[in-house]
Amino acid sequence: SASGASVVAIDNKIEQAMDLVKNHLMYAVREEVEVLKEQIKELLEKNSQLERENSLLKTLASPEQLEKFQSQLPTEVLCPEEQSPGVAAPAQHSGGSAV
């Protein structure tokens, strides 16, 4: 009977320790998710700003300037879908929240 009680006590201690570890991990994961959400928000804002700048520059540039610029770009930038197999094209982001 005494050994049964000690087994129960040990099981309770193990369960408490596991709960403590679980709570700590959940807290750490929640913190990391918040950091990543903020990074995503900042990157989306930066992407939007760069897209606006790109659009403005395209409207202000002459056809000759655009042609000269495009001739200087590597072909991977101009035609990402034609990259060799095994090379992943950059992921397109729709602008919605990923989290």
Side-chain angles (χ1 to χ4, degrees), residues 25-58:
L25 288 173
M26 291 299 292
Y27 177 77
V29 167
R30 282 189 194 106
E31 272 191 346
E32 187 66 21
V33 165
E34 288 305 313
V35 168
L36 292 173
K37 281 182 179 181
E38 187 61 31
Q39 287 178 342
I40 288 169
K41 179 182 171 191
E42 290 170 5
L43 289 170
L44 288 172
E45 289 171 0
K46 181 69 173 176
N47 187 52
S48 179
Q49 175 191 351
L50 291 172
E51 286 177 349
R52 287 191 305 271
E53 288 178 17
N54 187 37
S55 177
L56 176 64
L57 289 172
K58 281 182 178 180

Side-chain angles (χ1 to χ4, degrees), residues 4-20:
S6 70
V7 168
V8 170
I10 291 172
D11 285 348
N12 286 339
K13 293 283 186 186
I14 291 171
E15 189 173 335
Q16 289 173 355
M18 289 174 63
D19 285 343
L20 187 62

